[in-house]
Amino acid sequence: MLKGAFQVKRVAKYFCTMTTGASLSRIISLLEAFAPIKYAESWDNVGLLIEPYRKSLNINKILLTNDLTEPVMQEAIEKSTNMIIAYHPPIFAPLKRITQADWKQRIVSMCLAESIAVYSPHTAWDVVPGGVNEWLACALPYKNMTPVRLLSNCSEPNVGLGRIFSTSLTLKEAIAAIQEHIGLDVHVAFGNRHTLKTKIITVAVCAGSGSSLLRGVKADLYITGEMSHHELIEANQNNISVILCNHSNSERGFLKSFQTKLQEILKNDCEIIISDKDTDPLVTFPKAESKSQIQIS
């Protein structure tokens, strides 16, 4: 009797956790209400990139990923995903054919075969309030946060590229806060007269590659994913310290925040998961561990 009652409770729990799903058009409408694709950079390729040929595609499970690679694609199939939201657009340069010749073509082929839709927001997520750049900036205490550069085609307040704000902490504290926020190691280039005890007052942030946006911006500290050697030297000579997180590591953590937001706006109609296979292509090996951990075969 107890065993039967236990099984009934398990079945009831299973049906209670099942999602009803949502139409692809409804999900896209909600995504674009949060970050209109018209806000994306003109060179970018955003929005719905792959739409399977089904008249009524009901989305029950959405996979969030920073990059749609073949391991992530396989994960999406194994986890019975109906839709992938990939921050970076997996289709950027035009494709002239869909064959099995390279990994991007194979991904498109698999999406079509498995009826998986793909949506990419990229720079639309970067510029909106509550988007990627604000997520990265919020690693530090802040006041008076504004975009580094406002969008010229937008009348909405606080929509723009990067973020700049005031704070009050040491460079050492800023480094620790960023490491805690992204959960990973960082690289630091010190300003000429900076030490770990230097007081940081003004911070400029650009997730991904901040080279062109941050160039010439007056601040004590830049936080970004990547910059070239010569751009780092330029910043250092102007007494600006730079924290580099690696390109996608400066963005990926936003997915956890967005997972909660999307669940709320979809009213939990879809199961939303974050990819386990999505990682930055660069791996840091601390010097002390290199000889013992790297096996040369």
Side-chain angles (χ1 to χ4, degrees):
M1 182 69 179
L2 286 174
K3 183 178 180 181
F6 176 71
Q7 288 177 335
V8 168
K9 289 180 71 175
R10 285 184 62 187
V11 172
K13 182 179 179 181
Y14 170 77
F15 279 105
C16 285
T17 57
M18 287 181 66
T19 58
T20 58
S23 68
L24 179 60
S25 59
R26 178 186 167 218
I27 293 172
I28 292 172
S29 176
L30 292 170
L31 288 170
E32 295 186 3
F34 167 67
I37 59 174
K38 66 181 181 180
Y39 291 167
E41 295 278 7
S42 58
W43 50 260
D44 208 355
N45 189 37
V46 297
L48 183 62
L49 303 187
I50 299 177
E51 182 180 11
Y53 182 70
R54 292 178 66 175
K55 292 183 178 179
S56 57
L57 180 61
N58 196 54
I59 307 298
N60 292 294
K61 185 180 288 188
I62 299 172
L63 179 73
L64 304 180
T65 185
N66 203 73
D67 295 290
L68 181 49
T69 58
E70 285 196 281
V72 174
M73 187 68 240
Q74 191 59 45
E75 176 188 17
I77 293 171
E78 291 172 357
K79 293 181 177 178
S80 302
T81 299
N82 309 105
M83 182 177 187
I84 298 170
I85 298 177
Y87 171 72
H88 288 136
I91 303 173
F92 196 79
L95 297 174
K96 294 185 176 181
R97 66 198 72 209
I98 304 298
T99 70
Q100 303 302 301
D102 64 64
W103 68 277
K104 286 196 174 184
Q105 291 184 59
R106 288 193 293 272
I107 282 174
V108 174
S109 177
M110 284 187 278
C111 285
L112 295 173
E114 300 290 336
S115 293
I116 299 174
V118 177
Y119 184 94
S120 178
H122 201 205
T123 52
W125 272 9
D126 290 349
V127 299
V128 294
V132 176
N133 278 300
E134 284 197 4
W135 167 82
L136 184 59
C138 286
L140 307 183
Y142 62 88
K143 290 182 180 179
N144 306 317
M145 185 184 296
T146 60
V148 172
R149 185 190 306 158
L150 290 168
L151 287 194
S152 58
N153 62 342
C154 176
S155 60
E156 296 293 324
N158 297 319
V159 176
L161 303 170
R163 291 297 183 270
I164 188 167
F165 58 90
S166 300
T167 190
S168 180
L169 74 175
T170 65
L171 179 55
K172 182 179 180 180
E173 290 169 334
I175 294 167
I178 288 292
Q179 288 177 316
E180 176 68 22
H181 194 60
I182 69 172
L184 295 162
D185 294 328
V186 297
H187 300 281
V188 181
F190 285 79
N192 265 0
R193 297 185 296 279
H194 282 190
T195 70
L196 288 174
K197 295 181 180 180
T198 296
K199 200 74 171 180
I200 301 299
I201 303 300
T202 304
V203 182
V205 171
C206 180
S209 178
S211 302
S212 60
L213 179 66
L214 298 180
R215 187 181 299 119
V217 174
K218 293 182 178 181
D220 303 304
L221 175 66
Y222 293 164
I223 300 172
T224 186
E226 61 181 343
M227 293 178 77
S228 76
H229 169 79
H230 296 290
E231 288 155 344
L232 286 172
I233 293 294
E234 181 70 22
N236 296 165
Q237 294 304 301
N238 286 302
N239 206 37
I240 301 167
S241 290
V242 182
I243 297 177
L244 298 181
C245 308
N246 283 354
H247 189 112
S248 68
N249 288 343
S250 68
E251 305 158 336
R252 185 171 289 103
F254 175 72
L255 296 178
K256 185 67 177 176
S257 171
F258 187 72
Q259 178 188 36
T260 301
K261 183 186 296 289
L262 190 56
Q263 284 174 333
E264 290 175 355
I265 62 178
L266 281 172
K267 305 185 188 309
N268 292 314
D269 286 343
C270 300
E271 182 182 357
I272 302 164
I273 60 175
I274 298 174
S275 172
D276 294 323
K277 300 296 184 181
D278 176 42
T279 60
D280 194 278
L282 287 173
V283 178
T284 300
F285 281 88
K287 183 178 179 181
E289 301 175 4
S290 60
K291 289 185 178 180
S292 60
Q293 291 191 2
I294 300 176
Q295 299 296 320
I296 301 176
S297 57

